[in-house]
């Protein structure tokens, strides 16, 4: 359980990062390391160089930016969780972060690290999907933005290419929106057995826009569009909750019959609970 | 011999502190980071070992290419089985008529039989480089067909793990006699119960550090039994025991997993002697989860012959145990026999006939884990009692009361031959039923979300403690020993053969010694865990330590006090039989003044010996051994056997909350009525029970070592092997009942293992109770995962619809 | 530029109040650096998988897992280990509460619990449920947690379970 040999480079600027990643195709970005270092200890990951990006100031901002909350990639999860700005602008993020590992993990783990690692049972990718976040990415040819729906491409796979750096995640600040994050894990602090991030925008009593995303129930974060459709344009009633939960299915996921039945039942229960929380 | 009067005097003594919640002597060091565990033993020039382990579950070893690994910078050497000159296979002590010998060799020679089996050892300047080198070793392994489960091992055409064996049965002992008459006459209730593979997972993994200096081998190892480890090193390495010193430093938990001697221990010791330098190997968590013994994997098929009032006349059936590769010392099969020996618990059952079968599979070897067969047997017994209650439409708690032995039936001989000497069987059961019902009622009266259900589950058991080790080892029996030595200043050093790994033995030994001798506890120094300074003893396992240590100390103290009385009598010009021991001083009965201190006596015995009476020899020290009374080491003709000097009992009740949405089972409250005889320090006994219950909860709801069909282990990290956290373990309340063991000097029965026995059957019953409205959602196996719960609900609903 | 990849890196941190300088292989885990290079063996490696919490130390006052942190990642940060808490020979109130409540048995996990508790604000954990959730990042295999929760309650001046 000791890491294989690698070199360590401390980047001071995003330019440093890009240069180091371009120079060595086996180089890998290191942020808090809370997912990467365990993988190194198991020798599952074998980078030639780790590029530490936590000293790059440009990645450390947390600010309101034209209708968006922008969270720099290396903002520690604990800092985001406790940020008043996050609490007021995007409370769903704080609700979800409370479920990420334990306090010892969140103190070092970063928002960007969790998104870029794309664990199929991680909380933040589901939040990004539910809020329609945009991922800001810097590469050799400059900056580009990737919608969350295109960013997550499978277990531990994202749209980032090897020479690119995740700079920030931009979450839209939604008016008249109520959110809930409901998770079931076997033990306190574990990755989700299943979790649902819900963000419902209301026009009076009517749900004008419903966003539901799940994690822990497949190869990555999942939008639950059929359930969303059931909710949109109607008041959020107990009947609507039941109907939306009933739409949940996991056909595309690689489960055996027993696991599929369990995960589906679990997800339906979690969808219903998240919506009831929104109702309250 | 009856010690009840001695016990009464001890416990009634003013200021004894017995029965009080006193802090421990161990804690200041451990709280401040000053503990010294094996990984903290730092020797100049030490080199580190990492092992190449088989990644195939079953393979023939054709060769191992170590060249590239040897060439790596920082590597001192790479060693395979053929390098281990002078090393013998680990002896198989049990009668070959009982258990087939496996002849395990420390490193894989011709075959490997599980993923994780050590094939080669790298020695390097540090562990990082040793692990780099392991990746450069290329073993040439020819895959063999794999036996990945107990059922597969029993197939008639199953691949066979050992050359020359006709099948995979390590042990196969048919039942003695039968009760066919009862089964013909009475209603038969039957069931098949399974418990999954699980393990101890101590927070400190294993580790061994060895040094060869001045023609002598010193081995620091995280073990529960240093003397047995020394003897095994002698057998396997061929070194005289006097030339080996084994030290157990602070040990970070054991729970049975460290009452085994492992391949790595022999190899590291051999390497230190071969290389003539300190060699260290600290097991990592991956190694611990694939290479250290696992336990509990059984199926118990049970039938009960039952009267219509629920009384059980006889039980019969068969236990199957999965031993993994069986390459462990001690061999892993004895829990199956202990499950049988303890099966009927506190129930009035006249006869039992259980066939014991233990099979080899291509999985990590089985070995000891807290509870050692009793949790397995208790689960099956308690589950079938619940089924009997259902079939006869009797309340399961009332049925338990009805079939529990009454006070006037104790002492009671169980059908296994266990002589249950004392206990509070019915009273403890009544206590938890009353408390459990009240707790359930209170919870149900609160408002809850509609998807939650609550239930009450109860389980009882009897646990034999301080057993013979012959059934487990086929070699050692039950004795232990102590040395008590006075210094001229009156200070006492007591050295014991038991060995600590968290159970507070230092506090226990100091307390017992101080009170037996009548000296202040801060005059007592305790020595244990070092074969150079402690007398030969069998270490700590089987809830034995308090019993055997207090037994030996009681004998030693008696002799020392006799001698001290003779010396003091001469000093006080009195008769020895008139000398009394009070608060560290000796005086003539009824005359507190003049008096002499233990120091005065010791000074005369050790320094100013010319003043001793003519018939008193110099010296004030003694060794005493202790063999727990009433034990049989092998079964009698009829298969019966009393393996233990005394038996504890307990009843558990749990309030279970089932979430119909997620399938989650969580525990709201846990109630234990526990009787381990005299309680020296309730804090410590509570801690033992709470820790055992938490582990039992883990084994019931979370922990599992699954394997795929190819024998690949699927839980190889703490992300997959889920030991419970503080959020999954409920608040507990514990009530101590105290039925002293009449045959033991201190009347204390040992509390190390009890807590882990009750949770599985209690929680299973609680889940069934919570789901009762849906019909019969029967739980016959552990772990009770969320998926199992939802499937049970669905099955029960389906059955209710068809019915 | 300073961002040159190196196999051996300079290590700078302030450990238990004293500046520590030196170098270490890039891959050296903080727990190994503390234990092997500085001889601070009170920090224990229980899993090296970031799960068990036995290796918990404070980094800049926050509880962190030293088994999944590289020594190289720190640059002048304050690291606090269990040895610092009772440097004057007196147990801290939390350590004393652990002793009085019998909240430790083998003691291997104990420094990790103590360090987690040393790095949090009791007001963030107002009841037993939240205390248990906080402690769930530290595994204990001996105690069943009951006495640990009781010790925390006592040290934080809470008289009854809630």
């Amino acid at each position: 359980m000791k890491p294989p040999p690698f070199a360590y480079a401390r980047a001071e600027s995003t330019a440093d990062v890009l240069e180091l990643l371009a120079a060595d195709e086996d180089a890998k970005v290191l942020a808090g390391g809370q997912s990467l270092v365990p993988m190194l200890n198991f020798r599952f990951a074998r980078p030639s160089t780790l590029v530490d990006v936590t000293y790059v100031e440009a990645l450390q901002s947390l600010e309101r930016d034209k209708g968006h909350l922008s969270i720099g990639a290396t903002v520690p999860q604990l800092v985001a969780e406790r940020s008043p700005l996050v609490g007021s602008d995007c409370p769903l993020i704080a609700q979800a972060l409370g479920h990420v590992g334990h306090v010892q993990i969140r103190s070092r783990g970063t928002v960007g690290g969790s998104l870029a690692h794309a664990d199929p049972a991680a909380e933040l990718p589901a939040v990004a999907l539910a809020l329609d976040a945009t991922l800001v990415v810097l590469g050799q040819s400059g900056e580009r933005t990737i919608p969350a729906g295109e960013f997550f491409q499978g277990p531990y796979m994202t749209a980032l290419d090897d020479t690119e750096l995740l700079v920030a995640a931009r979450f839209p600040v939604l008016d008249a929106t109520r959110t809930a994050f409901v998770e079931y894990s076997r033990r306190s602090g574990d990755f989700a057995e299943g979790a649902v991030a819900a963000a419902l925008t209301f026009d009076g009593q009517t749900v004008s826009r419903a966003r539901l995303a799940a994690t822990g129930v497949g190869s990555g974060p999942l939008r639950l569009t059929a359930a969303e459709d059931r909710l949109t344009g109607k008041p959020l009633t107990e009947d609507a909750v039941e109907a939306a939960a009933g739409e949940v299915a996991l056909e595309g996921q690689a489960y055996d019959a027993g696991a599929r039945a369990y995960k589906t039942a679990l997800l339906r229960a979690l969808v219903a609970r998240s919506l009831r929380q929104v109702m309250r | 011999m009856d010690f009840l009067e001695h016990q009464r005097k001890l416990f009634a003594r003013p200021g004894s502190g017995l029965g009080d919640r006193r802090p421990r002597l161990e804690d200041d060091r451990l709280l401040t980071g000053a503990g010294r565990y094996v990984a903290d033993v730092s020797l100049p020039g030490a080199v580190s070992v990492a092992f190449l382990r088989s990644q195939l579950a079953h393979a023939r070893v054709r060769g191992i290419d170590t060249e590239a690994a040897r060439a790596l910078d920082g590597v001192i050497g790479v060693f395979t089985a053929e390098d281990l000159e002078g090393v013998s296979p680990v002896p198989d002590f049990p009668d070959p008529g009982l258990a087939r010998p496996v002849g395990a060799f420390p490193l894989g020679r011709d075959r490997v039989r599980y993923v994780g089996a050590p094939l080669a050892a790298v020695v390097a300047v540090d562990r990082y480089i040793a692990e780099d080198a392991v990746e450069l070793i290329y073993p040439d392994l020819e895959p063999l067909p794999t036996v990945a489960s107990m059922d597969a091992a029993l197939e008639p055409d199953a691949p066979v793990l050992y050359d020359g064996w006709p099948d995979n049965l390590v042990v196969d002992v048919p039942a003695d006699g039968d009760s066919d008459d009862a089964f013909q006459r009475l209603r038969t209730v039957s069931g098949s119960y399974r418990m999954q593979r699980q393990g101890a997972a101590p927070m400190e993994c294993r580790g061994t550090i060895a040094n060869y200096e001045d023609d002598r081998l010193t081995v620091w190892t995280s073990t529960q039994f240093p003397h047995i480890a020394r003897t095994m090193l002698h057998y396997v390495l061929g070194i005289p025991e006097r030339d080996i010193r084994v030290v157990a430093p602070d040990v970070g938990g054991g729970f049975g997993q460290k009452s085994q001697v492992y391949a790595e221990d022999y190899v590291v010791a051999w390497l230190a002697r071969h290389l003539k330098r300190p060699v260290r190997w600290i097991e990592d968590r991956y190694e611990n989860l694939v290479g250290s013994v696992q336990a509990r994997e059984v199926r118990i098929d049970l039938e009960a012959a039952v009267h219509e009032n629920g009384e059980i006349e006889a039980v019969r059936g068969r236990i199957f145990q999965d031993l993994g590769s069986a390459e462990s010392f001690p061999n892993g099969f004895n829990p199956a026999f202990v499950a049988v020996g303890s099966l009927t618990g506190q129930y009035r059952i006249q006869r039992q006939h259980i066939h014991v079968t233990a099979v080899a599979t291509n999985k990590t070897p089985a070995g000891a884990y807290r509870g050692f067969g009793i949790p397995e047997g208790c689960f099956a017994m308690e589950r079938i009692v619940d089924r009997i209650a259902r079939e006869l439409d009797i309340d399961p708690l009332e049925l338990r009361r009805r079939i529990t032995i009454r006070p006037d039936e104790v002492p009671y001989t169980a059908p296994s031959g266990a002589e249950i000497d004392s206990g509070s069987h019915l009273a403890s059961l009544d206590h938890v039923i009353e408390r459990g019902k009240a707790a359930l009622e209170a919870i149900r009266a609160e408002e809850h979300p509609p998807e939650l259900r609550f239930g009450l589950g109860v389980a009882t058991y009897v646990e034999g403690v301080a057993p013979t080790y012959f059934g487990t080892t086929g070699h050692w029996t039950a004795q232990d020993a102590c040395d008590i030595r006075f210094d001229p200043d009156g200070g006492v050093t007591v050295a014991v053969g038991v060995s600590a790994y968290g159970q507070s033995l230092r506090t226990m030994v100091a307390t017992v010694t101080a009170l037996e001798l009548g000296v202040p506890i801060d005059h007592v120094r305790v020595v244990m865990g070092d074969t150079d300074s402690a007398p030969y003893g069998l270490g700590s396992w089987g809830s034995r330590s308090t019993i055997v240590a207090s037994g030996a100390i009681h004998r030693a103290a008696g002799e020392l006090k006799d001698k001290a009385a003779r010396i003091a009598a001469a000093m006080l010009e009195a008769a020895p039989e008139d000398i009394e021991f009070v608060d560290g001083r000796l005086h003539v009965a009824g005359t507190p003044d003049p008096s002499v201190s233990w120091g005065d006596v010791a000074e005369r015995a050790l320094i100013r010996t010319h003043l001793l009476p003519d018939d008193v020899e110099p010296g004030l020290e003694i060794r005493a051994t202790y063999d727990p009374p009433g034990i049989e080491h092998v079964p009698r003709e009829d298969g019966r056997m009393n393996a233990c000097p005394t038996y504890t009992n307990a009843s558990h009740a749990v309030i279970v909350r089932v979430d119909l949405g997620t399938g989650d089972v969580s525990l709201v409250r846990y109630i234990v009525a526990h009787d381990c005889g005299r309680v020296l320090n309730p804090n410590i006994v509570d801690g033992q029970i709470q820790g055992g219950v938490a582990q039992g909860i883990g084994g019931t709801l979370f922990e599992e070592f699954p394997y795929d069909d190819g024998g690949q282990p699927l839980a190889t990290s703490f992300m997959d092997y889920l030991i419970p956290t503080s959020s999954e373990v409920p608040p507990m309340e514990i009530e101590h009942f105290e039925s002293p063991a009449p045959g033991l000097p201190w009347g204390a029965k040992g509390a190390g293992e009890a807590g882990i026995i009750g949770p599985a059957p209690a929680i299973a019953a609680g889940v069934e109770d919570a789901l009762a409205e849906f019909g019969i959602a029967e739980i016959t196996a552990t772990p009770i995962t969320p998926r199992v719960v939802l499937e049970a609900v669905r099955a029960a609903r389906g059955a209710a619809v068809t019915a | 530029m300073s961002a040159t990849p190196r196999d051996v890196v300079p290590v700078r941190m302030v450990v238990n109040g004293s500046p520590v300088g030196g170098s270490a292989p890039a891959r050296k885990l903080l727990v190994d650096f503390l234990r092997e290079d500085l001889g601070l063996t009170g920090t224990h490696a229980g899993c090296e998988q970031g799960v068990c919490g036995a290796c918990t130390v404070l980094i800049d006052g926050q509880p962190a897992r030293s088994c999944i942190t590289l020594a190289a990642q720190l640059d002048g940060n304050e690291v606090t280990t269990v040895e610092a808490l009772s440097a004057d020979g007196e147990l801290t109130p939390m350590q004393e509460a652990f002793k009085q409540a019998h909240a430790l048995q083998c003691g291997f996990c104990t420094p990790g619990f103590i360090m987690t508790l040393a790095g949090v604000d009791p007001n963030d954990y107002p009841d037993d449920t939240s205390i248990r959730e906080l402690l769930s990042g530290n595994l204990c295999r001996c105690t069943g947690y009951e006495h640990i929760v009781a010790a925390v309650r006592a040290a934080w001046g809470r008289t009854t379970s809630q």
Side-chain angles (χ1 to χ4, degrees), chain B residues 382-383 386 396-397 400 429 432-437 439-440 444 454-460 651-657 667 669-672 758-770:
Chain B
E382 288 290 57
R383 294 281 63 216
D386 280 319
L397 306 183
R400 283 182 170 78
L429 174 60
V432 303
I433 290 176
E434 187 187 318
R435 298 285 307 140
K437 281 183 168 171
L440 181 64
R444 281 185 172 160
F454 295 87
L456 166 65
V458 167
T460 74
S651 297
H652 291 203
V654 62
I655 307 298
V656 168
R657 179 178 63 206
L667 310 179
R669 185 162 203 80
Y670 206 99
I671 299 153
V672 179
I763 293 168
V767 170
E768 286 180 3
D769 187 39

Side-chain angles (χ1 to χ4, degrees), chain B residues 542-589:
Chain B
S543 305
R544 72 190 297 264
S545 303
T546 299
I547 292 172
V548 297
S550 67
I553 293 165
H554 170 74
R555 294 189 64 199
E559 292 197 35
L560 280 172
K561 284 164 79 174
D562 284 348
K563 183 166 186 176
R566 285 156 67 200
I567 297 170
M571 296 165 86
L572 297 168
E573 294 171 0
E577 53 274 21
D578 292 337
I579 299 296
E580 271 192 349
F581 298 75
V582 178
D583 294 337
R585 299 192 71 84
L586 298 76
H587 62 73
V588 178

Side-chain angles (χ1 to χ4, degrees), chain C residues 5-162:
Chain C
R6 293 176 204 279
D7 298 330
V8 176
V9 296
V11 171
R12 288 198 324 114
M13 55 184 97
V14 178
V15 178
N16 298 338
S18 303
V20 172
S23 63
R27 60 169 160 169
K28 188 133 196 173
L29 300 172
L30 178 60
V31 64
D32 288 337
F33 183 77
L34 294 170
R35 291 175 50 81
E36 294 168 6
D37 295 48
L38 305 183
L40 295 170
T41 56
T43 303
H44 299 149
C47 71
E48 296 172 288
Q49 301 168 345
V51 179
C52 82
C55 67
T56 303
V57 298
L58 302 185
I59 300 179
D60 299 331
Q62 299 276 4
R65 303 221 196 279
S66 62
C67 79
I68 53 171
T69 303
L70 303 171
Q73 285 176 276
L74 303 189
D75 186 7
N77 307 68
E78 299 258 357
V79 175
T80 310
T81 70
V82 69
E83 285 88 350
L85 299 184
S86 49
D88 60 357
E90 296 284 306
L91 297 182
T92 64
M94 186 60 78
Q95 288 170 325
E96 184 64 34
F98 267 58
K99 180 178 172 179
Q100 293 301 327
H102 185 40
L104 65 156
Q105 291 179 28
C106 81
F108 192 81
C109 70
T110 308
F113 276 90
I114 294 289
M115 294 316 295
T116 293
L117 290 161
V120 299
D121 178 352
N123 296 316
D124 291 340
Y125 307 94
D127 55 20
D128 280 7
T129 304
S130 58
I131 291 173
R132 283 181 182 268
E133 200 178 314
L134 165 67
L135 298 177
S136 70
N138 291 84
L139 299 179
C140 171
R141 197 59 162 160
C142 292
T143 64
Y145 306 105
E146 179 85 9
H147 285 167
I148 297 180
V149 175
V152 174
R153 229 186 265 135
W156 287 355
R158 296 174 196 169
T159 46
T160 54
S161 59
Q162 48 202 300

Side-chain angles (χ1 to χ4, degrees), chain A residues 1-5 38 41-43 46 184 186-188 190 256 258-259 261-262 265-266 269-270 273 276, chain B residues 127-128 131-132 135 284 286 451 659 661-662 664 701-702 717-719 722-723 725 727-728 785-787 790:
Chain A
M1 297 288 310
K2 304 294 182 194
N41 288 356
F42 280 111
R43 299 193 175 213
R46 305 182 153 274
Y184 176 60
R186 295 288 300 280
R187 298 176 304 173
S188 169
D190 279 353
D256 64 41
Y262 172 68
L266 171 67
L270 296 175
R273 282 175 202 186
R276 286 190 197 111
Chain B
R127 173 77 184 213
Y128 289 74
E131 290 189 19
D132 296 345
E135 297 184 314
D284 68 28
Y286 166 78
E451 285 162 305
D659 182 330
T662 62
D664 181 64
L701 298 177
F702 301 104
S717 80
F718 266 175
M719 281 89 122
L722 307 178
I723 80 177
T725 79
S727 289
E728 289 74 55
T785 62
R787 189 170 146 183
L790 292 193

